Amino acid sequence: MENAAILFAIFGLLVILVGIYVFTGHSDIFPRRYSVPNDKAYLKFLGKKIIIVGSIILLLSLIFGLE
C-alpha cells in the first residue's frame, strides 16, 4: 500500500501544479471543445478548486501511506 501512496502523492502534486498553472491565467490546457472563458476571475476560481482537489489527494495519500 505504501507504493500506491507514493504514486498518489506524486499525482496530487501534479494536480496542484496544474491548478497553479490555471490560477495564473493559462487556459490553453483545456481542449477546444470545452470552452473555458478567458476571464481572469473564472480562471482564478477554477485554479483554486483544482488546487483544493490536489491537496485533498495529497493529504489522503499521506494518511493512507502512514498505516
Side-chain angles (χ1 to χ4, degrees):
M1 191 70 180
E2 294 168 0
N3 295 333
I6 292 170
L7 289 176
F8 275 110
I10 293 170
F11 178 69
L13 287 174
L14 290 175
V15 171
I16 290 172
L17 289 176
V18 168
I20 292 170
Y21 184 73
V22 172
F23 183 77
T24 57
H26 298 93
S27 64
D28 56 345
I29 196 166
F30 301 107
R32 290 253 186 222
R33 287 187 287 173
Y34 181 71
S35 59
V36 175
N38 287 332
D39 186 23
K40 294 285 185 182
Y42 181 72
L43 289 175
K44 285 190 177 204
F45 169 76
L46 191 61
K48 286 179 187 177
K49 296 300 176 187
I50 294 172
I51 291 171
I52 290 171
V53 169
S55 300
I56 290 171
I57 293 171
L58 184 63
L59 179 68
L60 288 176
S61 71
L62 291 175
I63 289 172
F64 290 123
L66 293 177
E67 288 183 353

